[in-house]
């Protein structure tokens, strides 16, 4: 029992700190239980075939079918049409629509489906989205309480109840308490909760009211015009070659040429002398660069200068199963992790010497590196790498890219470290050595401070330094205060986008994704936790819940609707549903519900059968079905179920019940109910709701057994409390989904979620004993 409780404590700490993803924590728990002998291997993996897990992924597919065929959207839009005027009425109808759909669909799926609809309603009625989006998120959580398939905790509680010997809950057993809780929640939000919500209208900024555009994106501070002189060194270069983005972090909104404005210019657009560029970014970076003078002293440097008694050049071949394959040098921080400079990559008989940091590594690649001799000896022990001497038959032609550049006294680089100089990130120049007072110091550390008179031994193109001088010669004309007409036209537009719950982009930067090159769009701003980011966005790692403002060709914006990583909030750009399949999807869902109610088949078989029919009838494809399944939730539940079994079998549940809840039982059954609800609800703010249900259900069952109370009543309390994830944006994906578009801060959820949770507690104490007597 001590070992079980130790693993439980470890899981709770990992869930709360988020050091590991929730699904990874579940797998760690599963493996720990097997390695410690607390469960057999067969029991450990039994969670993947558990009826609750099967039901969960099948319901995700059913929900996807309703979404893809437009059934859910039709129901939502019909109900929303009932809300004509008045913020309170609009809020109630939105929450009612979301609650009804969430009774039969995945909660996060409903929130993602209705989010664009609610944003559109907000624009048409002039209501700030911040007044409607938290209610939308809360409504999907409340609606999920009303049926067996409404939320994973309900499915888990029913399955666990069956395992405890009390029998599973039926489809609508959750409805009496869940429905009254939902009604109370909607009433609270309409009467009081909406007054606690902030008034922030990000939507107005994105649809083009100039005053709002300035207010929300501080355009007066972030947009300005730069001009190319008559003899500019940038003339004849493309926008991509100019390095305006990588070197200065500037986004080119438009090019003003011969009296005409070219919006959202393509990276291949060629610059001309006299061009004026409307750009977004930090003017300070522009002014700093102008002072970073470098003087080319020698462009014919011998490769032998890269070698010393301590430093050598070698080749590194990647092993066939290397973990580095498919990743870039920047992603794996190759210099920092391996302690080497990559000078070139030999691939298929060709030497690649530029843009190495962003080149995905492939099987057969050979890296030409500069490193300390001792470090090369260490790397020979690395199973992912094969270190060897340089093959003289390979012509790397490094001498063509080796330069000596001086740092004059007046340069603003004096006193900066190499990392602060950003020579590598901005211009692709790698500093291989520093010549100071006649001595060459090879492989200087990023923390090395530059001094006046230093000569840098660098690898790079002479043209890169020409580009640097061209950027330094740009003239900043003025701060710009653009009207919306300067940002949009018939062919160029703006649109808001959030990351979907199924996105694979979390943790990746726009630079790593090569976003501009891949999508042909510019990201003007990122909203996160109520704050807007407008500069250095290439290096910002994306998070779930981020809202992004895209700018570019309208035909490119429309392509986003087919991208599974993005949820477009602009109606004209959204995917077209398969409306002709809507009757079939409705019939399939109704058949699943009816077969369970009438007892023709268990829920997990009915759900799988319904999901199969959805695919066979073309309501969605198999690839779409896989995409709609929240695999994190599936692995989380399957990995945590063995822990629930172990807690039950080891006596841990009985121990915790006697230690925590039994003393409260002396104050009366309602006090016990309140204590159980409170502990479960608090856990749901920092832990995934399925995990909370798995951990609290055995404790509730043993508490009921020891006090002679009804197990069903206490299990129903756990089911309601486990879904009361209202007080934190990280408590539920639906809360995170609306955070960016609503411009919410963390404290907004506490202000509204705390009183809502207390209201639900009062309702549970009043009505649950009526439908589920506390004593058998």
């Amino acid at each position: 029992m001590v070992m079980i409780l130790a693993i439980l404590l470890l899981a709770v700490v990992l869930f709360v700190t988020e050091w590991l993803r929730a699904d990874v924590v579940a797998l760690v728990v599963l493996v720990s239980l097997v390695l410690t002998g607390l469960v057999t291997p067969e029991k450990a993996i039994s969670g993947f075939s558990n009826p609750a897990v099967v039901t969960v992924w099948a319901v995700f597919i059913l929900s996807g079918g309703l979404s893809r065929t437009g059934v859910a959207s039709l129901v939502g839009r019909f109900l929303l049409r009932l809300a004509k005027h008045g913020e309170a009425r609009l809020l109630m109808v939105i929450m009612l629509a979301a609650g009804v759909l969430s009774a039969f669909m995945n909660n996060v799926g409903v929130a993602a489906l209705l989010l664009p609809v609610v944003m559109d309603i907000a624009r048409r009625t002039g209501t700030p989205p911040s007044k409607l989006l938290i209610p939308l998120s809360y409504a999907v959580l409340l609606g999920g309480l009303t049926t067996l398939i409404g939320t994973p905790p309900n499915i888990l509680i029913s399955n666990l109840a069956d395992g405890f010997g009390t029998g599973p809950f039926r489809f609508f057993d959750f409805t009496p308490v869940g429905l009254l809780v939902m009604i109370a929640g909607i009433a609270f939000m309409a009467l009081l909760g909406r007054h606690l919500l902030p008034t922030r209208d990000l939507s107005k900024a994105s649809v083009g009211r100039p005053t709002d555009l300035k207010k929300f994106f501080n355009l007066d501070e972030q947009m300005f015009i730069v001009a190319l002189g008559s003899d500019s060194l940038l003339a004849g270069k493309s926008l991509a070659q100019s390095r305006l983005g990588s070197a200065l972090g500037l986004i080119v909104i438009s090019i003003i040429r011969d009296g005409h404005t070219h919006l959202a210019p393509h990276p291949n657009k060629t610059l001309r002398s006299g061009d004026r560029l409307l750009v977004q970014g930090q003017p300070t970076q522009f002014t700093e660069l102008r002072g970073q003078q470098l003087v080319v002293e020698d462009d014919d440097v011998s490769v032998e200068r890269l070698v010393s008694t301590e430093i050598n050049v070698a080749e590194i071949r990647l092993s066939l199963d290397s973990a580095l394959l498919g990743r870039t040098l920047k992603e794996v921080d190759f210099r920092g992790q391996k302690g080497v400079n990559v000078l070139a990559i030999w691939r298929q008989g060709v030497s690649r010497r530029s843009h190495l940091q962003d080149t995905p590594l492939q099987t057969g690649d050979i890296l030409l590196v500069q490193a300390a001799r001792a470090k090369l000896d260490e790397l020979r022990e690395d199973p992912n790498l094969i270190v060897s001497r340089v093959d003289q038959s390979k012509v790397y032609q490094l001498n063509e890219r080796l330069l000596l550049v001086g740092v004059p006294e007046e340069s603003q680089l004096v006193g900066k470290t190499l990392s602060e100089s950003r020579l590598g990130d901005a211009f692709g120049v790698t500093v291989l050595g520093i010549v100071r007072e006649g001595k060459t110091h090879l492989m200087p550390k990023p923390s090395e401070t530059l001094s006046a008179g230093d000569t840098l031994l660098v690898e790079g193109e002479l043209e890169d330094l020409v580009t640097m001088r061209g950027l330094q010669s740009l003239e900043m004309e003025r701060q710009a205060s653009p009207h919306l007409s300067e940002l949009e036209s018939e062919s160029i537009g703006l649109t808001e986008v959030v990351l979907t719950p199924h996105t694979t982009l979390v943790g990746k930067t726009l630079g790593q994704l090569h976003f501009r090159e891949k999508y042909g769009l510019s990201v003007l701003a990122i909203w996160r936790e109520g704050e807007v980011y407008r500069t250095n966005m290439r290096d910002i790692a994306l998070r779930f819940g981020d809202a992004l403002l895209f700018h570019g060709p309208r035909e490119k914006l429309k392509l986003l609707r087919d991208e599974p990583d993005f949820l477009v909030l602009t109606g004209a750009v959204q995917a077209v549903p398969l409306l002709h399949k809507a009757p079939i999807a409705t019939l399939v869902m109704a058949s699943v519900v009816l077969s369970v109610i009438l007892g023709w088949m268990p829920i997990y078989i009915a759900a799988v059968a319904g999901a199969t029919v959805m695919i066979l009838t073309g309501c969605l494809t198999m690839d779409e079905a896989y995409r709609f399944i929240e695999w994190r939730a599936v692995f989380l539940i399957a990995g945590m179920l063995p822990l629930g079994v172990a807690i039950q079998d080891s006596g841990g549940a009985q121990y915790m019940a006697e230690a925590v809840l039994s003393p409260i039982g002396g104050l009366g059954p309602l006090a016990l109910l309140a204590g159980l609800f409170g502990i479960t609800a608090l856990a749901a703010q920092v832990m995934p709701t399925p995990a909370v249900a798995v951990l609290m259900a055995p404790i509730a069952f043993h508490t009921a057994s020891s006090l002679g109370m009804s197990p069903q009543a206490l299990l129903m309390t756990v089911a309601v409390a486990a879904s009361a994830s209202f007080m934190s944006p990280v408590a539920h994906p639906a809360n995170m989904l609306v955070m960016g578009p609503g411009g919410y801060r963390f404290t907004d959820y506490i202000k509204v979620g705390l009183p809502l949770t207390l209201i639900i507690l009062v309702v549970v104490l009043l009505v649950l004993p009526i439908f589920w007597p506390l004593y058998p």
Side-chain angles (χ1 to χ4, degrees):
M1 183 175 67
V2 172
M3 294 175 68
I4 289 287
L5 295 179
I7 293 175
L8 172 60
L9 179 61
L10 172 65
V12 171
V13 170
L14 291 176
F15 281 136
V16 173
T17 59
E18 296 184 348
W19 288 338
L20 295 175
R21 283 174 29 162
D23 47 352
V24 176
V25 174
L27 295 179
V28 169
V29 168
L30 185 152
V31 173
S32 300
L33 292 172
V34 176
L35 294 180
T36 54
L38 297 172
V39 297
T40 64
E42 292 76 14
K43 281 189 177 181
I45 64 171
S46 64
F48 289 95
S49 62
N50 188 280
V53 175
V54 174
T55 304
V56 166
W57 65 251
V59 169
F60 284 146
I61 297 177
L62 289 170
S63 173
L66 294 177
S67 174
R68 190 68 187 89
T69 57
V71 173
S73 182
L74 288 173
V75 173
R77 290 181 185 275
F78 171 75
L79 290 174
L80 291 175
R81 277 198 293 268
L82 300 178
K84 296 181 180 179
H85 300 288
E87 183 181 295
R89 179 171 179 174
L90 178 60
L91 182 145
M92 286 192 293
V93 173
I94 288 174
M95 294 191 72
L96 179 62
V100 169
L101 291 172
S102 293
F104 304 97
M105 292 179 61
N106 169 28
N107 299 160
V108 184
V110 173
L113 185 74
L114 292 183
L115 179 54
V117 179
V118 173
M119 292 292 287
D120 187 49
I121 294 290
R123 292 185 180 109
R124 295 184 183 185
T125 61
T127 306
S130 61
K131 292 290 187 180
L132 302 176
L133 294 184
I134 273 184
L136 169 65
S137 173
Y138 287 177
V140 300
L141 299 178
L142 293 169
L145 296 172
T146 58
T147 66
L148 174 61
I149 64 171
T151 184
N154 287 6
I155 298 172
L156 284 167
I157 291 294
S158 176
N159 178 75
L160 292 168
D162 191 28
F164 296 148
T166 62
F169 288 106
R170 293 171 297 180
F171 195 90
F172 288 114
D173 279 350
F174 295 87
T175 304
V177 175
L179 186 60
L180 290 172
V181 166
M182 186 178 81
I183 293 172
I186 294 175
F188 165 77
M189 292 301 299
L191 297 175
L192 179 61
R194 63 190 178 93
H195 298 294
L196 303 175
L197 292 168
T199 302
R200 301 190 191 107
D201 196 349
L202 176 61
S203 68
K204 289 182 182 178
S206 64
V207 297
R209 299 185 184 181
T211 55
D212 293 314
L213 200 64
K214 295 177 185 177
K215 178 180 178 182
F216 284 96
F217 293 100
N218 294 331
L219 296 183
D220 289 336
E221 300 177 11
Q222 300 298 332
M223 284 193 179
F224 55 99
I225 290 178
V226 296
L228 277 70
S230 58
D231 57 350
S232 174
L233 295 174
L234 297 181
K237 295 182 180 294
S238 68
L239 276 176
Q241 292 170 337
S242 74
R243 293 186 176 270
L244 281 162
S246 60
L248 297 177
L250 300 179
I251 299 172
V252 179
I253 306 297
S254 64
I255 297 177
I256 305 169
R257 176 183 296 167
D258 298 329
H260 298 285
T261 300
H262 305 271
L263 286 171
H266 192 274
N268 294 330
K269 184 80 170 178
T270 302
L271 296 172
R272 298 180 186 173
S273 296
D275 281 349
R276 299 168 65 240
L277 312 180
L278 174 63
V279 298
Q280 176 185 298
Q282 284 280 13
T284 53
Q285 290 190 358
F286 177 71
T287 54
E288 285 178 8
L289 178 67
R290 300 186 72 170
Q292 295 183 358
Q293 291 91 356
L294 289 172
V295 178
V296 178
E297 297 181 354
D298 191 352
D299 60 358
D300 186 17
V301 181
S302 171
V303 177
E304 282 70 26
R305 297 200 63 165
L306 303 180
V307 179
S308 69
T309 55
E310 297 179 352
I311 306 295
N312 201 4
V313 176
E315 289 181 347
I316 294 180
R317 184 189 298 271
L318 301 182
S319 62
L320 295 178
D321 57 347
S322 173
L324 303 177
L325 295 176
R327 306 177 70 186
T328 67
L329 296 175
K330 181 182 289 186
E331 284 180 48
V332 299
D333 185 22
F334 201 82
R335 167 68 192 267
Q337 296 296 323
K338 305 298 181 183
V340 303
N341 286 325
V342 178
L343 307 176
I345 298 178
W346 186 267
R347 178 179 294 171
Q348 299 176 353
V350 178
S351 173
R352 295 172 178 258
R353 297 167 296 166
S354 60
H355 306 293
L356 300 182
Q357 292 296 315
D358 297 319
T359 301
L361 298 174
Q362 298 180 5
T363 303
D365 280 353
I366 298 176
L367 312 183
L368 180 67
V369 302
Q370 178 198 39
R373 297 177 187 271
K375 175 60 67 174
L376 291 174
D377 291 337
E378 289 180 20
L379 293 179
R380 287 186 173 90
E381 306 299 324
D382 191 329
N384 289 307
L385 307 174
I386 303 171
V387 182
S388 61
R389 295 180 178 179
V390 177
D391 185 350
Q392 299 299 326
S393 66
K394 300 187 181 71
V395 183
Y396 288 103
Q397 297 178 319
L398 277 185
N399 58 303
E400 297 179 3
R401 289 178 53 84
L402 294 180
L403 306 167
L404 286 175
V405 295
V407 182
E409 290 185 8
E410 65 273 15
S411 175
Q412 291 186 9
L413 289 173
V414 174
K416 289 188 175 182
T417 65
L418 284 176
S419 60
E420 290 171 345
S421 73
R422 298 186 65 248
L423 289 172
D425 293 337
F427 298 99
V429 173
T430 303
V431 179
L432 304 176
I434 298 178
V435 182
R436 181 178 294 162
E437 298 178 354
K439 296 182 180 180
T440 301
H441 306 275
L442 294 177
M443 293 194 68
K445 296 179 180 179
S447 58
E448 182 72 32
T449 301
L450 296 175
S451 303
D454 280 351
T455 298
L456 309 182
L457 172 59
V458 303
E459 184 202 18
E461 295 282 354
L462 181 60
E463 194 65 24
D464 290 335
L465 298 179
V466 173
T467 300
M468 182 177 179
R469 291 203 301 271
L471 290 174
Q472 291 170 337
S473 68
L474 288 173
E475 298 179 2
M476 188 169 71
E477 288 189 357
R478 61 178 174 86
Q479 295 286 106
S481 181
H483 188 274
L484 183 70
S485 60
E486 296 183 50
L487 299 179
E488 289 194 303
S489 66
E490 290 185 2
S491 59
I492 304 296
L494 288 162
T495 191
E496 292 172 76
V497 171
V498 295
L499 299 182
T500 67
H502 316 289
T503 184
T504 58
L505 305 184
V506 171
K508 298 179 181 177
T509 67
L510 296 175
Q512 290 172 342
L513 296 171
H514 302 287
F515 190 89
R516 184 73 173 89
E517 296 80 0
K518 181 178 180 180
Y519 295 100
L521 299 169
S522 296
V523 179
L524 298 188
I526 298 176
W527 273 82
R528 175 179 296 168
E529 299 180 5
E531 301 293 333
V532 63
Y533 298 85
R534 295 168 301 274
T535 58
N536 298 323
M537 289 180 289
R538 285 174 52 89
D539 301 321
I540 297 177
L542 298 176
R543 297 181 191 171
F544 178 57
D546 285 348
L548 297 88
L549 184 65
F550 287 170
H551 180 243
R554 295 188 187 276
E555 65 269 17
K556 297 284 187 181
L557 293 172
K558 290 181 180 179
L559 295 177
L560 292 175
R561 66 190 184 188
D562 299 320
E563 290 288 335
D565 292 305
F566 300 119
L567 175 63
V568 181
L569 303 185
T570 305
V573 187
Q574 291 162 15
V576 179
L578 305 174
L579 293 177
H580 63 287
K581 297 286 186 179
I584 299 176
T586 304
L587 181 61
V588 170
M589 192 68 199
S591 300
V592 170
V593 174
L594 188 63
S595 64
V596 175
I597 294 174
L598 297 178
W600 293 345
M601 59 181 72
I603 178 65
Y604 54 93
I605 298 297
V608 172
T612 304
V613 174
M614 283 276 195
I615 296 167
L616 292 176
T617 55
C619 294
L620 74 171
T621 65
M622 195 66 201
D623 288 338
E624 290 172 332
Y626 282 129
R627 193 167 44 187
F628 276 111
I629 298 174
E630 289 186 27
W631 290 107
R632 292 189 183 191
V634 172
F635 276 83
L636 170 65
I637 297 170
M640 291 300 294
L641 279 173
L643 180 58
V645 173
I647 291 174
Q648 169 83 2
D649 294 344
S650 67
Q654 182 175 354
Y655 170 78
M656 287 186 285
E658 293 174 354
V660 179
L661 291 176
S662 292
I664 303 177
L667 302 177
L670 291 182
L672 175 65
L673 217 61
L676 179 61
F677 183 98
I679 293 172
T680 306
L682 286 175
Q685 310 310 311
V686 294
M687 292 173 58
T689 54
V692 174
V694 169
L695 297 179
M696 293 302 299
I699 298 173
F701 175 76
H702 280 283
T703 300
S705 300
S706 62
L707 298 178
M709 299 179 68
S710 167
Q712 289 92 337
L714 268 60
L715 290 173
M716 187 63 67
T717 302
V718 170
V720 176
S723 294
S725 309
F726 305 116
M727 292 183 285
S728 166
V730 300
H732 197 277
N735 293 346
M736 286 296 298
L737 186 65
V738 303
M739 192 174 191
Y744 296 120
R745 299 185 175 92
F746 196 99
T747 53
D748 294 328
Y749 291 85
I750 299 176
K751 291 177 184 177
V752 188
L754 179 57
L756 175 59
T757 303
L758 295 176
I759 291 291
I760 292 174
L761 170 59
V762 172
V763 173
V764 168
L765 294 178
L766 292 176
V767 304
L768 189 140
I770 299 174
F771 299 101
W772 299 94
L774 299 183
Y775 292 94

